[in-house]
Amino acid sequence: MPRIEKLNNQIYIDRRIALKEKILAQYPEAQNGIILLFANFEQEQNIFKQDSSFYYLTGINEPATALLLDLADDTAIFYMPNFGDQRKKWVKIAINNDEKNLYGFTDIAYLGEPCTGYQCHPFFSANEYSNLLNRLQIYIDQKRPIYTFNPQRNSAYLEQRFILQRINSLINNFAESLIDISALVAQMRRKKTTAELELLYKAIDITMESHLAVARMIKAGKYEYEMQALIEYMFIATGGSIAFPSIVASGKDSTVLHYHDNNKVLEDNQLVVVDIGAEYNHYCADLTRTYPVSGKFTDRQREIYEIVLETQEFIANTAQPGYWLANKDQKDKSLHHIAQEFLEEKGYNTYFIHGIGHFLGLDVHDVGDYMQPLAPGDVITIEPGIYLPDEDLGVRIEDNYWIVEDGAICLSEELPKQPDVIEEIMRINN
């Protein structure tokens, strides 16, 4: 199955224009400023994953690169490591020096002097970044502000911040010139365009097909990793990749939220939680279903399953612009707190041990300010669960929703979740 091509290059150019406008509107001194963005580095033991915000603004999947936008003269310089002719012998390069107009760049330049080998590493030398460092030194001397991704949260933009710290060790007073724009870009990324929704839906469609395939394979005596292998084969065979480590958790481990061992034998009368997501051209899905290994829910399993399903349906019918995913100060419009109250009436609120959902997009847990209410264009998950370790019984149901003017549209509605339908699907092979 051929991949849908990435978004048109003009979309990335327009996003950079929109970012410039937001910065100029928020920071009076920005007319003399610089926007400085960095790509992630590659690691030999992992498939390269580009920084999502860098990709959002450039559409380029090349590691160890940088983009410098000068707000004073409106130039855009894309920097690449100086590999000479070495890198193209080892890997396919995502951008060539003669493609600057295609991407809306004024120039494509080398970061510095030639690198050794075909990879550039986080502990780069001053020589390898000399061209960029020399230019940045001029900006520092001119006291020009530098807008970049430099949030203070422990888990955000780790590679970006490492690069900034590395440069700060090579240029005096560099850190004092930095102004964080991660919140501005998060605001931009939250609202999904029609083109983005098409890629999201493709990732969701691949994930739904994988769920249906694994539902027909589940049976006692199979290993969890056999289910995982089928899921991830389906991802790749249909043009996607793995958005996050697949969760196939049976028995007591169905109550462990991020169980990744996937090494147990499936047993009759157990449930198995399958929490998986395909990535398609950088956009991610995240869907969970809970299946009975025997192909039929026990009375107790069905009781808990139906409570979780009722909770999800109630929250999905409630979700709309003006509500929050979670807001302890606005509990009457906080989907998480509404779910807690719904489950409290059923006697199971203390067994719902995670949030009701999260933003979805270029990252599985996508950027977005949870203190801001939902708005049209947001894409979220709704994923209630009940976890009873003493009974070796965990149930989670998760779907992906697009927030529109008057509610929420389920993007994964074609994936069955009614218990009778699930049993019918599983009966084919069991």
Side-chain angles (χ1 to χ4, degrees):
M1 179 182 296
R3 285 179 177 267
I4 298 172
E5 291 298 322
K6 71 173 188 178
L7 303 179
N8 187 285
N9 283 324
Q10 187 60 46
I11 291 176
Y12 302 104
I13 296 170
D14 291 343
R15 287 172 178 172
R16 296 198 295 271
I17 293 171
L19 176 59
K20 292 176 187 178
E21 291 173 350
K22 286 180 178 293
I23 291 173
L24 289 167
Q26 182 163 330
Y27 300 99
E29 71 280 11
Q31 289 187 353
N32 193 40
I34 304 297
I35 301 174
L36 181 62
L37 310 175
F38 291 99
N40 282 345
F41 290 93
E42 59 191 331
Q43 300 177 17
E44 289 185 357
Q45 67 271 35
N46 295 320
I47 296 174
F48 174 67
K49 170 70 175 174
Q50 184 62 283
D51 176 81
S52 294
S53 288
F54 186 88
Y55 186 83
Y56 177 81
L57 292 164
T58 66
I60 295 173
N61 206 38
E62 188 72 16
T65 53
L67 178 63
L68 191 150
L69 307 174
D70 192 323
L71 296 173
D73 60 16
D74 205 31
T75 55
I77 302 175
F78 189 80
Y79 285 94
M80 299 178 64
N82 187 353
F83 295 118
D85 63 352
Q86 287 299 308
R87 185 167 176 79
K88 64 184 180 182
K89 296 177 181 178
W90 293 86
V91 297
K92 184 176 180 179
I93 298 174
I95 181 171
N96 296 313
N97 289 336
D98 58 355
E99 294 180 320
K100 64 181 183 182
N101 293 332
L102 180 64
Y103 288 92
F105 301 143
T106 309
D107 194 15
I108 296 178
Y110 286 131
L111 283 165
E113 297 178 15
C115 306
T116 301
Y118 69 97
Q119 289 179 305
C120 190
H121 302 285
F123 284 99
F124 52 82
S125 69
N127 288 339
E128 290 171 334
Y129 271 53
S130 58
N131 293 337
L132 177 60
L133 293 175
N134 290 339
R135 183 177 287 268
L136 291 176
Q137 184 66 67
I138 293 171
Y139 297 150
I140 299 302
D141 294 341
Q142 295 172 343
K143 301 188 183 304
R144 299 177 69 179
I146 298 175
Y147 301 92
T148 189
F149 301 133
N150 191 31
Q152 298 309 302
R153 299 190 311 279
N154 289 340
S155 60
Y157 291 101
L158 298 182
E159 290 198 49
Q160 304 274 328
R161 288 156 58 199
F162 181 91
I163 297 168
L164 295 175
Q165 290 181 14
R166 180 68 177 148
I167 293 176
N168 191 53
S169 72
L170 300 170
I171 297 179
N172 292 331
N173 304 316
F174 176 71
E176 286 75 7
S177 300
L178 302 180
I179 299 172
D180 175 46
I181 56 168
S182 59
L184 285 178
V185 175
Q187 183 184 40
M188 293 173 62
R189 282 175 54 185
R190 258 187 66 168
K191 185 173 184 178
K192 304 303 188 291
T193 64
T194 301
E196 288 180 291
L197 282 169
E198 289 178 0
L199 294 175
L200 274 166
Y201 187 76
K202 182 61 180 177
I204 291 167
D205 186 55
I206 292 170
T207 309
M208 290 192 296
E209 290 297 319
S210 301
H211 261 291
L212 291 172
V214 81
R216 297 184 179 105
M217 184 179 180
I218 290 171
K219 65 173 65 175
K222 295 280 189 180
Y223 281 88
E224 293 166 341
Y225 58 71
E226 293 181 86
M227 309 303 108
Q228 177 186 356
L230 174 60
I231 290 161
E232 295 176 4
Y233 163 78
M234 290 290 294
F235 286 176
I236 296 169
T238 50
S241 57
I242 303 164
F244 59 90
S246 301
I247 297 170
V248 183
S250 63
K252 183 179 286 293
D253 290 320
S254 65
T255 68
V256 178
L257 301 184
H258 284 177
Y259 168 80
H260 294 304
D261 290 347
N262 297 351
N263 60 6
K264 296 205 318 298
V265 176
L266 304 182
E267 299 179 12
D268 276 330
N269 298 319
Q270 289 183 341
L271 292 177
V272 54
V273 172
V274 179
D275 185 344
I276 58 174
E279 178 182 309
Y280 187 81
N281 281 354
H282 296 267
Y283 286 84
C284 303
D286 188 2
L287 299 174
T288 306
R289 291 293 184 266
T290 303
Y291 302 104
V293 172
S294 65
K296 185 175 179 59
F297 293 98
T298 66
D299 291 344
R300 177 60 169 162
Q301 290 169 351
R302 180 180 280 260
E303 175 191 5
I304 298 301
Y305 187 96
E306 289 182 340
I307 292 172
V308 174
L309 183 57
E310 288 173 17
T311 305
Q312 191 200 46
E313 291 173 341
F314 180 72
I315 297 301
N317 289 330
T318 302
Q320 60 183 291
Y323 279 67
W324 283 263
L325 276 171
N327 188 335
K328 61 183 177 59
D329 298 321
Q330 300 281 347
K331 292 183 178 180
D332 60 330
K333 287 194 171 183
S334 167
L335 298 182
H336 176 74
H337 292 89
I338 294 170
Q340 287 278 9
E341 291 180 5
F342 186 88
L343 287 167
E344 185 175 12
E345 294 177 2
K346 308 287 186 180
Y348 288 100
N349 62 304
T350 60
Y351 301 99
F352 173 40
I353 57 176
H354 54 76
I356 192 61
H358 52 81
F359 296 111
L360 189 69
L362 285 168
D363 293 310
V364 176
H365 288 254
D366 208 27
V367 293
D369 186 351
Y370 284 77
M371 297 308 297
Q372 296 296 320
L374 295 174
D378 288 340
V379 176
I380 64 170
T381 66
I382 297 178
E383 49 179 302
I386 293 175
Y387 308 93
L388 305 169
D390 292 343
E391 300 182 45
D392 295 352
L393 195 164
V395 174
R396 181 164 65 255
I397 303 171
E398 177 182 21
D399 284 280
N400 304 158
Y401 295 83
W402 176 35
I403 302 298
V404 294
E405 293 288 346
D406 58 352
I409 296 174
C410 184
L411 299 175
S412 48
E413 63 179 353
E414 295 177 16
L415 182 61
K417 54 188 171 185
Q418 295 296 330
D420 290 342
V421 180
I422 286 177
E423 289 179 349
E424 179 62 30
I425 292 170
M426 298 185 71
R427 209 167 2 247
I428 295 174
N429 280 358
N430 284 311

